[in-house]
Amino acid sequence: MSEPVIRTGTAVPLRRDDVDTDQLAPARFVPYYRPDGFTNILLADWRSDPAFVLNQPQYQGATVLVAGRDFGTGSSRESAVWALQSAGFQVVVAHRFGDIFRGNATTRGLWTAEVDHDVIERLWAEIEADPWQAVTVDLATLQLSCGAVTSPFRIDEPLRRRLLEPGDRIAETLAHLPEIEEYEAKTRAL
């Protein structure tokens, strides 16, 4: 079954920059390696504050997280992606993502949309003005919209292609077998 090319849902305005993978999934909660059991660990160190945005009732059930600059930097903790997905998020919009986080997210089907920071600011304002307003992210056209905000977004093209055409990554590699064999033959000749 292929992935949808458009995702629409309400959003959470996470007004923070530099959210790293240890903040997303603190190490003390991830002693094992499996993709389940992460529902209550997302941003656990901040969730004790009743005013924290993920604790606000108007944002419950949201599937889009709108963060600031440099989201998902830090260690290669795949559990950061699992925590986001366990909390129901399907798309993260930010100004920029950590490379490893972005790769892990794409592998797991979590979309990462990069936009300029002024777009982030406008999205935050729209979402806070009407938390039930939907954000739509179209992977085919690379456009996102929310109320009065419409913007193109960036995503690494090979990662985008992988989301649009999910399949077996081994088969994807084997599609390049002639080039691989040619490279290997040249390398052995040296």
Side-chain angles (χ1 to χ4, degrees):
M1 189 167 100
S2 63
E3 285 276 322
V5 297
I6 296 174
R7 288 186 174 170
T8 298
T10 58
V12 174
L14 181 63
R15 285 185 172 270
R16 298 197 184 203
D17 295 329
D18 305 314
V19 178
D20 66 34
T21 54
D22 194 48
Q23 292 162 322
L24 289 167
R28 67 184 180 281
F29 296 117
V30 289
Y32 53 85
Y33 188 82
R34 63 177 205 227
D36 57 354
F38 290 91
T39 302
N40 296 320
I41 69 162
L42 179 65
L43 299 166
D45 292 333
W46 301 342
R47 304 283 294 262
S48 61
D49 177 0
F52 181 59
V53 69
L54 287 181
N55 295 330
Q56 300 304 305
Q58 66 270 34
Y59 300 120
Q60 301 309 304
T63 59
V64 179
L65 183 69
V66 181
R69 296 178 175 89
D70 296 324
F71 188 88
T73 57
S75 73
S76 62
R77 191 167 302 157
E78 191 171 13
S79 52
V81 173
W82 295 338
L84 284 159
Q85 290 182 309
S86 293
F89 292 105
Q90 299 176 347
V91 179
V92 180
V93 180
H95 177 249
R96 192 173 37 238
F97 293 92
D99 289 339
I100 296 171
F101 172 84
R102 186 178 44 228
N104 287 340
T106 303
T107 299
R108 297 278 307 156
L110 177 67
W111 295 5
T112 54
E114 288 185 0
V115 295
D116 294 338
H117 202 268
D118 69 299
V119 175
I120 297 288
E121 293 281 353
R122 290 187 291 138
L123 285 170
W124 284 338
E126 286 283 338
I127 297 162
E128 289 167 349
D130 181 0
W132 293 273
Q133 185 170 209
V135 174
T136 297
V137 180
D138 187 330
L139 198 57
T141 63
L142 295 175
Q143 292 284 320
L144 68 80
S145 61
C146 175
V149 178
T150 299
S151 173
F153 67 88
R154 298 174 298 277
I155 186 170
D156 184 68
E157 183 54 31
L159 298 179
R160 176 177 170 252
R161 193 173 47 248
R162 198 169 295 140
L163 287 169
L164 289 172
E165 301 165 6
D168 183 336
R169 296 186 69 181
I170 294 173
E172 184 180 309
T173 300
L174 290 176
H176 298 281
L177 188 57
E179 295 98 329
I180 294 168
E181 289 174 341
E182 180 182 335
Y183 174 81
E184 289 294 321
K186 286 180 185 173
T187 303
R188 284 189 201 117
L190 298 177

